[in-house]
Amino acid sequence: MAEEKPHCKVVLANSIAKSLLEEVHDGLKKIDRKPLLVGFLSSADPAARVYAEWTGKTCNENGFAFELREVDRELLEDAIIDANNDAKVDGIIVYYPIFGNRQDQYLQQIVDVSKDVEGLSHRYIFNMYQNIRFLDEHNQKKSLLPCTPLAVIKILEYLRIYNTILPYGNRLHGRTVTVINRSEVVGRPLAALLANDGACVYSVDIEDVQQFHRGEGLRKRRHEVVEKPGWTLENCLPLSDVVISGVPGDKYKVPLNLLREGAVCINFSSERNFSPEVKEKASIYVPAIGKVTIVVLLRNLLVSKR
């Protein structure tokens, strides 16, 4: 009798987004008008345009107002400042990459903190890495997190990888996670957030592997980073019960022979980083996260208005 293939559950972003949308709809009921989100598109990147169109569609379907402003990149700085000063604008999103260098980082800092729904301003980034979860001393105003890393966290919560029996902030204790890609926009923040929640995280980039963790028994309040000289995916993947990959381009594939049996696999690249055979080894596979990212954006907009 042929041996049965293990059953892998493929979870689509749409299903996860629906459960988050209920929370967003409840938040909207407490506001007496449609919040206005303004998107700035100054990039020829086709993925940026797709993201902008998705944002508009999701806003319009869910009771938000959305305005896409296509601006020459040399005029973008002034356009952001104008939106900062416009009382009608509740939130601002800029579709990157624009210049593809440090100028993009500068533009992220121009967006007013009260309108930064992407969680990219210095105050939010500092709080994220320091594991400071609120903006005020009374813990009333939550510090926002960047949309894509937060979307991955919401997916892990939905999949019950977070252990809700444990105290808030320690719910990934005992989990080992590999994050492939250490970009400043997604990969590194995601590794830090997962480690701050108690996981042992291996952050893998082209050059090297770093371990993010809070020490034995979660002694530290925030994560620390340890270099792992000579380590590669061969060392990390067999140890990891969760593998999250976001390498851009269609060439890269996660080596399935190194995957732990029954691992949870999540792809956050616009291309598929896992070949279809991943379903023969993984217990859960999430092939894309884009729709969750956009709902998280709306959630951030509501949180910033409270």
Side-chain angles (χ1 to χ4, degrees):
M1 204 171 98
E3 195 183 323
E4 250 189 71
K5 288 267 165 64
H7 182 67
C8 172
K9 185 161 180 60
V10 177
V11 180
L12 300 179
N14 221 15
S15 316
I16 306 164
K18 274 181 190 159
S19 68
L20 277 172
L21 271 173
E22 288 173 20
E23 186 188 328
V24 167
H25 291 155
D26 287 345
L28 256 186
K29 288 172 192 165
K30 296 168 187 162
I31 296 174
D32 57 0
R33 63 190 174 82
K34 278 188 175 185
L36 171 61
L37 178 63
V38 169
F40 286 104
L41 186 62
S42 301
S43 165
D45 182 1
R49 183 168 290 278
V50 168
Y51 187 24
E53 287 167 358
W54 268 12
T55 316
K57 186 171 182 290
T58 309
C59 281
N60 293 329
E61 285 172 355
N62 291 287
F64 291 78
F66 179 73
E67 201 177 292
L68 183 62
R69 299 180 184 176
E70 298 196 38
V71 179
D72 182 278
R73 66 183 192 171
E74 299 300 341
L75 304 174
L76 181 57
E77 183 176 347
D78 288 340
I80 293 171
I81 291 167
D82 287 346
N84 281 341
N85 296 326
D86 185 346
K88 294 191 294 294
V89 176
D90 295 293
I92 295 170
I93 175 171
V94 183
Y95 297 100
Y96 297 100
I98 295 159
F99 293 93
N101 57 26
R102 285 187 63 131
Q103 205 161 338
D104 285 9
Q105 292 171 18
Y106 167 67
L107 290 169
Q108 287 169 8
Q109 302 314 315
I110 292 175
V111 177
D112 190 277
V113 172
S114 68
K115 298 188 181 189
D116 172 21
V117 292
E118 295 183 275
L120 296 176
S121 61
H122 174 73
R123 175 85 187 275
Y124 288 140
I125 297 293
F126 175 82
N127 283 2
M128 176 187 68
Y129 282 118
Q130 293 292 320
N131 201 13
I132 297 167
R133 300 188 181 220
F134 292 89
L135 291 172
D136 63 325
E137 57 187 50
H138 305 296
N139 292 358
Q140 298 295 312
K141 201 159 175 54
K142 283 185 98 169
S143 192
L144 295 190
L145 296 172
C147 294
T148 306
L150 182 54
V152 174
I153 283 169
K154 289 296 169 191
I155 289 166
L156 291 172
E157 287 178 351
Y158 178 89
L159 299 175
R160 306 218 158 89
I161 306 301
Y162 273 72
N163 184 348
T164 52
I165 293 170
L166 294 174
Y168 175 68
N170 291 342
R171 289 178 173 172
L172 288 180
H173 185 41
R175 294 289 188 187
T176 301
V177 182
T178 289
V179 178
I180 305 169
N181 172 339
R182 200 182 305 131
S183 71
E184 289 302 319
V185 181
V186 186
R188 192 162 81 95
L190 178 58
L193 288 168
L194 297 174
N196 283 342
D197 278 339
C200 167
V201 183
Y202 294 109
S203 171
V204 181
D205 214 23
I206 295 168
E207 304 292 326
D208 61 0
V209 175
Q210 294 178 342
Q211 183 185 23
F212 288 56
H213 65 97
R214 276 174 44 208
E216 292 294 324
L218 307 184
R219 281 197 314 273
K220 297 178 167 58
R221 187 183 61 79
R222 59 173 290 262
H223 73 281
E224 60 180 31
V225 180
V226 180
E227 299 287 343
K228 303 294 283 183
W231 274 50
T232 65
L233 281 174
E234 287 190 10
N235 305 92
C236 312
L237 288 185
L239 303 174
S240 299
D241 36 18
V242 180
V243 178
I244 304 165
S245 187
V247 178
D250 55 2
K251 303 264 191 299
Y252 181 77
K253 295 286 182 257
V254 174
L256 299 184
N257 61 310
L258 300 175
L259 269 189
R260 189 172 175 170
E261 199 74 46
V264 172
C265 297
I266 299 171
N267 175 61
F268 70 81
S269 170
S270 54
E271 305 287 346
R272 297 281 160 96
N273 280 186
F274 294 91
S275 58
E277 291 74 34
V278 70
K279 289 176 259 189
E280 292 171 19
K281 211 159 183 189
S283 59
I284 300 172
Y285 173 46
V286 181
I289 73 163
K291 288 185 177 171
V292 180
T293 304
I294 291 173
V295 177
V296 163
L297 181 77
L298 300 184
R299 185 178 174 276
N300 274 358
L301 175 53
L302 283 179
V303 170
S304 71
K305 291 300 108 195
R306 279 176 204 159

